[in-house]
Amino acid sequence: MTDEPDVVHYDRLYRDTNRPPWEIDAPQPALAAVLDTGVRGPRALDVGCGTGELALALARLGHDVTGVDLSPVAITSARAKAAAAGLPVRFEVHDATRLPVSPTPYDSVFDSGLLHTLDRRGAAVGDYLALLPRLTAPGGAVFVLAVSPQAGEGWGLDADALRSAFPEPTWTHTTVEPIDVLARVDTGDLHLPGHLLRATRSSV
């Protein structure tokens, strides 16, 4: 882990490398599998959207989508993709631990690999988790994809840690299932063990 500020770190990865390993030119397969049936709408938020592949996939399904990321470099790329595709996605630069709360909460919130990154880098995980109930409409869904410690990278979130981050009564119908997380590196594709959490925001 580097000691440089997060925004510098991620801007450098997006600007100075061929691609960060999580940029696979598509949504993560485990999330792509739920897009047609699991998304509650119309409003969807992609937190830590990177260059926007998941947000763009949601927009293609007709959802009203906002994507946010800490990296201005990533957001510039995401906006260019949306313009080229003719998709009206709002892409904004924001720190996930200090997101502005919209007067109209989101029906679905997606976190594709952000929570485990905040945990890995010692960021304000508690601030982020405290924001999620305010960002999510009652009855809305949250989806969190995370790499497992079983991947052997020296970090990650196991099923119990994920489940405990979404306690009742604020969250209900919480499930955590094992999945593969796809990463793309110079030597080819990596399939890392991970988890997908789904939770419903209660009306409490």
Side-chain angles (χ1 to χ4, degrees):
M1 187 173 80
T2 176
D3 291 330
E4 65 191 358
D6 282 1
V7 66
V8 175
H9 171 70
Y10 288 110
D11 270 353
R12 181 177 56 77
L13 286 176
Y14 282 108
R15 184 182 56 242
D16 300 338
T17 63
N18 288 334
R19 75 169 77 218
W22 57 85
E23 287 288 336
I24 60 171
D25 298 324
Q28 280 290 327
L31 289 175
V34 305
L35 290 184
D36 289 329
T37 58
V39 184
R40 299 173 194 179
R43 284 171 52 79
L45 174 67
D46 181 8
V47 190
C49 65
T51 66
E53 292 294 340
L54 175 59
L56 295 172
L58 287 162
R60 290 186 184 99
L61 294 172
H63 296 288
D64 178 10
V65 187
T66 299
V68 298
D69 200 278
L70 182 68
S71 168
V73 174
I75 289 297
T76 296
S77 177
R79 287 171 176 164
K81 288 182 182 180
L87 293 170
V89 182
R90 289 175 298 281
F91 286 111
E92 302 172 357
V93 177
H94 286 299
D95 182 336
T97 66
R98 296 192 293 271
L99 281 175
V101 176
S102 170
T104 306
Y106 296 92
D107 302 293
S108 290
V109 176
F110 287 85
D111 172 334
S112 182
L114 174 65
L115 181 57
H116 72 219
T117 303
L118 293 176
D119 185 73
R120 177 189 181 192
R121 292 179 64 81
V125 177
D127 292 342
Y128 172 61
L129 292 174
L131 272 173
L132 285 178
R134 300 169 60 201
L135 294 167
T136 311
V142 168
F143 303 85
V144 179
L145 179 144
V147 169
S148 166
Q150 293 178 345
E153 300 294 324
W155 51 273
L157 293 169
D158 62 25
D160 289 341
L162 274 175
R163 198 174 283 109
S164 67
F166 292 82
E168 294 184 350
T170 304
W171 302 100
T172 64
H173 303 92
T174 302
T175 63
V176 180
E177 63 181 290
I179 59 165
D180 279 345
V181 178
L182 179 60
R184 194 153 283 164
V185 296
D186 291 341
T187 54
D189 289 353
L190 299 177
H191 295 270
L192 305 175
H195 296 99
L196 178 62
L197 173 139
R198 309 182 202 200
T200 298
R201 174 71 168 94
S202 74
S203 57
V204 175

